[in-house]
Amino acid sequence: TQKFSSLACFLDLPRPFRIDIHSASIVLSMRNPVNIGRVLIRERGPFFLIAGPCVVESEDMTLMVADFLRETEELLRIPVIFKASYDKANRTSVDSYRGLGIDRGLEILCKVKEKTGLPLLSDVHSVGEIERAASVLDMIQIPAFLCRQTDLLLAAGRTGLVVNIKK
């Protein structure tokens, strides 16, 4: 129990979250609702889906997937947040495909939002990308390999957007 109270102090809670301890596991639950684009997320729902291609490969493919997800959202009545990375900087090989880059990738993601109305999520890898990405995205994702980069986390938090920190 002692280590959990230390964790609560480290996380500087409460924010919109609180820590509940159940059988030695930590459960983060929301106190305040958050908006991710047009999707309002509360403590008790709704269930929502984050889906999309791993990386923006082309405008046609990205829009096709987004149209499918929008139709699926309407059919199943499950809110969808569209996720695609404009740059996958965490590849195991320098020769692996990384995406179209921030300029073209954000341009295509902006078209996804305009055409489908789906909220947008993408990985952000550096402080220098935050402002440009936040002008298009509704939610920022910090990749697991960057989850301890304090400057990046603070810059993402200052945007006012919801930040998904992968771990």
Side-chain angles (χ1 to χ4, degrees), residues 35-39 50-51 56 62-63 66 80-86 105-124 133-141 161-162:
N35 284 300
I36 303 170
R38 61 179 169 68
V39 178
I50 296 175
V56 176
T62 304
L63 289 171
V80 172
I81 298 166
F82 186 83
K83 192 270 181 201
S85 296
Y86 52 81
L106 287 177
E107 179 185 324
I108 292 170
L109 290 174
C110 192
K111 288 180 181 183
V112 166
K113 186 187 281 189
E114 289 170 359
K115 185 175 180 191
T116 66
L118 293 173
L120 301 176
L121 164 67
S122 188
D123 295 330
V124 177
S135 70
V136 173
L137 303 177
D138 298 290
M139 183 176 182
I140 292 173
Q141 182 163 283
L161 298 177
V162 173

Side-chain angles (χ1 to χ4, degrees), residues 1-44:
T1 308
Q2 189 66 21
K3 69 178 180 178
F4 294 122
S5 57
S6 301
L7 179 63
C9 292
F10 174 75
L11 293 175
D12 192 25
L13 299 174
R15 290 198 184 106
F17 301 95
R18 69 176 184 275
I19 289 186
D20 293 322
I21 302 169
H22 300 287
S23 339
S25 65
I26 299 174
V27 178
L28 290 179
S29 59
M30 300 176 60
R31 285 191 178 166
N32 300 317
V34 293
N35 284 300
I36 303 170
R38 61 179 169 68
V39 178
L40 177 65
I41 308 297
R42 296 185 175 102
E43 183 172 12
R44 301 223 181 259

Side-chain angles (χ1 to χ4, degrees), residues 42-150:
R42 296 185 175 102
E43 183 172 12
R44 301 223 181 259
F47 172 81
F48 64 96
L49 181 64
I50 296 175
C54 177
V55 65
V56 176
E57 293 182 23
S58 72
E59 183 173 331
D60 289 341
M61 183 275 300
T62 304
L63 289 171
M64 181 181 68
V65 172
D67 285 337
F68 172 79
L69 290 172
R70 178 66 178 142
E71 291 170 11
T72 302
E73 175 184 65
E74 289 176 8
L75 179 68
L76 300 178
R77 296 185 181 158
I78 297 173
V80 172
I81 298 166
F82 186 83
K83 192 270 181 201
S85 296
Y86 52 81
D87 179 21
K88 294 299 279 188
N90 56 340
R91 295 298 193 196
T92 55
S93 169
V94 71
D95 297 321
S96 295
Y97 181 72
R98 289 182 51 171
L100 299 175
I102 191 168
D103 294 327
R104 183 70 176 127
L106 287 177
E107 179 185 324
I108 292 170
L109 290 174
C110 192
K111 288 180 181 183
V112 166
K113 186 187 281 189
E114 289 170 359
K115 185 175 180 191
T116 66
L118 293 173
L120 301 176
L121 164 67
S122 188
D123 295 330
V124 177
H125 299 94
S126 70
V127 172
E129 296 175 22
I130 292 282
E131 192 174 319
R132 287 167 63 199
S135 70
V136 173
L137 303 177
D138 298 290
M139 183 176 182
I140 292 173
Q141 182 163 283
I142 305 298
F145 74 101
L146 294 173
C147 72
R148 293 180 182 228
Q149 298 299 313
T150 306

